[in-house]
Amino acid sequence: MQDREKKAKKKAAASGPASEPEDQPDEVGPDVTEPEKAEENVEARVPSKKKDRKETTIRYSKRAKAAGICQLAVSQAINGNVNGLLRGVGDKNTNEAVKHIVELAKRASSGGEVLHTDFLTPLILKESMLVLEKFTDIKTVAQGGYPEAERCRLSVGHPQELTSDPDIVVALRQVIGCPLSWIAREALGDILVQGEGAQILIVPELADFITSTLDKVGNVPVTCEKIPLLALEYKPPRTQTFKTVEPSLRVDAIASAGFKISRTKLVDLIRSGDVRVNWTTVTKGTTTMKTGDIVSVSGKGRLKIGEINPTKKGKFAVELIRYL
């Protein structure tokens, strides 16, 4: 055994000092800090699993946000993670409609163009605007033809492209009754009834067709003419303002006072799906109200929540604006 150890020592001495590994040279250029190394690894990483892709997106967004480049929501949308932006948006139909508008915004952003939606319901318009606010490189413009319009079209585009309000809404004055059932609802905005006729907000393409070729629908003669939007005749909605003092800001308490019906009856209307807050159907009477909310009840009308002030007894003095 001792002879073997002596031979091993002699062999090690003859071979000389161990050489340094070739992949660790003495000079490797500028020093790289640990955070920079981690950042480089994240950038170079190509994920192969959905879980990895999600983690990479989040890590990249944090670096980008720190550098003032973009928000996580924008990074998600660009990478196709639209579902993350739509979490909590309305029912299935509303969610699908808003998803389509987000896709439209993505196309506008990547293509450097301005795109337009059809006329949207107040609920879809509201939800779309909330989602699109998360885009730092998208500008939105909603137009319905007049200030109080409920149905509006939405224009989306890069701020450098969308520099003015596009001409995407046209007004028609209907002199003699024109059946509108043959026109897709998405192509029509608000309809302002005026005596025996009406003023109709509509998409420009359809307006040109109606005014140039349509003089009769069936046996019904039709007379329509284009009018400037500034020539629209409309009256601001009549309202009645009053105050109520309630122990809470629950929708069942506020709405029952606003529509002057019993709280039990209001709860029944909620259960039957006839009560909406900001155009979204509510299913619980415990929904909390705030200033600016609009409550609508089928067959009863609408009311807006005005100023809210706490009282000395721990209750709430609420200003209610009811549309007549």
Side-chain angles (χ1 to χ4, degrees):
M1 180 68 66
Q2 291 180 353
D3 292 339
R4 289 180 182 178
E5 289 179 356
K6 290 180 180 180
K7 289 181 179 181
K9 290 180 180 181
K10 288 181 180 180
K11 186 175 181 180
S15 62
S19 59
E20 294 182 356
E22 294 183 359
D23 58 346
Q24 296 182 5
D26 292 338
E27 296 183 3
V28 293
D31 292 338
V32 180
T33 63
E34 289 301 321
E36 288 174 338
K37 288 181 181 178
E39 184 172 311
E40 288 175 359
N41 291 336
V42 171
E43 289 182 330
R45 182 180 177 187
V46 180
S48 59
K49 297 181 180 179
K50 291 183 178 179
K51 182 179 179 181
D52 290 340
R53 182 161 57 250
K54 182 178 180 182
E55 291 176 352
T56 303
T57 302
I58 294 174
R59 291 180 185 178
Y60 172 78
S61 293
K62 288 181 178 179
R63 290 192 305 106
K65 185 176 181 180
I69 299 175
C70 63
Q71 299 289 338
L72 172 59
V74 179
S75 178
Q76 286 180 324
I78 291 175
N79 286 285
N81 189 10
V82 178
N83 292 332
L85 292 173
L86 300 179
R87 193 170 295 128
V89 173
D91 56 21
K92 182 179 179 180
N93 292 334
T94 302
N95 194 288
E96 286 297 320
V98 175
K99 182 177 181 179
H100 172 74
I101 295 170
V102 172
E103 295 288 352
L104 193 74
K106 288 170 59 181
R107 293 210 321 265
S109 175
S110 60
E113 55 186 333
V114 177
L115 300 175
H116 318 288
T117 70
D118 293 326
F119 282 98
L120 307 174
T121 64
L123 173 59
I124 293 176
L125 178 65
K126 182 200 73 169
E127 296 288 1
S128 299
M129 295 287 283
L130 289 175
V131 172
L132 292 175
E133 284 177 356
K134 299 173 184 177
F135 287 76
T136 58
D137 58 346
I138 287 291
K139 179 180 178 181
T140 60
V141 174
Q143 297 183 82
Y146 66 106
E148 284 83 14
E150 288 194 356
R151 294 177 61 83
C152 295
R153 299 187 72 186
L154 192 62
S155 300
V156 292
H158 194 279
Q160 294 180 352
E161 301 292 335
L162 188 53
T163 56
S164 60
D165 294 352
D167 296 325
I168 59 173
V169 179
V170 171
L172 296 180
R173 179 182 286 122
Q174 173 188 312
V175 181
I176 300 177
C178 173
L180 301 176
S181 58
W182 61 278
I183 302 176
R185 191 66 183 98
E186 294 78 12
L188 291 172
D190 289 358
I191 300 173
L192 307 174
V193 179
Q194 191 180 46
E196 295 182 355
Q199 298 169 115
I200 306 169
L201 284 306
I202 198 169
V203 296
E205 300 80 8
L206 199 53
D208 292 337
F209 170 76
I210 291 174
T211 56
S212 63
T213 65
L214 193 64
D215 58 0
K216 185 180 291 187
V217 175
N219 294 323
V220 180
V222 175
T223 302
C224 286
E225 61 177 346
K226 277 186 181 182
I227 59 174
L229 292 177
L230 293 177
L232 277 172
E233 298 178 10
Y234 65 93
K235 296 179 180 180
R238 294 187 304 119
T239 60
Q240 177 187 9
T241 301
F242 56 96
K243 291 186 177 181
T244 181
V245 177
E246 301 297 329
S248 73
L249 297 176
R250 291 165 48 128
V251 65
D252 54 1
I254 301 299
S256 63
F259 293 105
K260 301 186 184 306
I261 57 178
S262 70
R263 193 159 176 174
T264 301
K265 176 64 176 176
L266 200 285
V267 170
D268 290 339
L269 289 170
I270 290 175
R271 289 173 179 169
S272 60
D274 291 320
V275 179
R276 292 166 294 281
V277 175
N278 298 327
W279 300 281
T280 301
T281 301
V282 295
T283 58
K284 296 181 180 180
T286 55
T287 301
T288 301
M289 307 302 298
K290 63 182 183 300
T291 297
D293 283 347
I294 294 179
V295 185
S296 56
V297 177
S298 299
K300 301 294 182 180
R302 293 183 299 166
L303 63 85
K304 185 176 182 178
I305 311 302
E307 188 176 353
I308 300 175
N309 292 305
T311 68
K312 293 181 179 179
K313 294 184 178 181
K315 296 184 178 182
F316 299 93
V318 183
E319 179 187 46
L320 298 177
I321 305 165
R322 185 168 179 180
Y323 294 86
L324 303 177

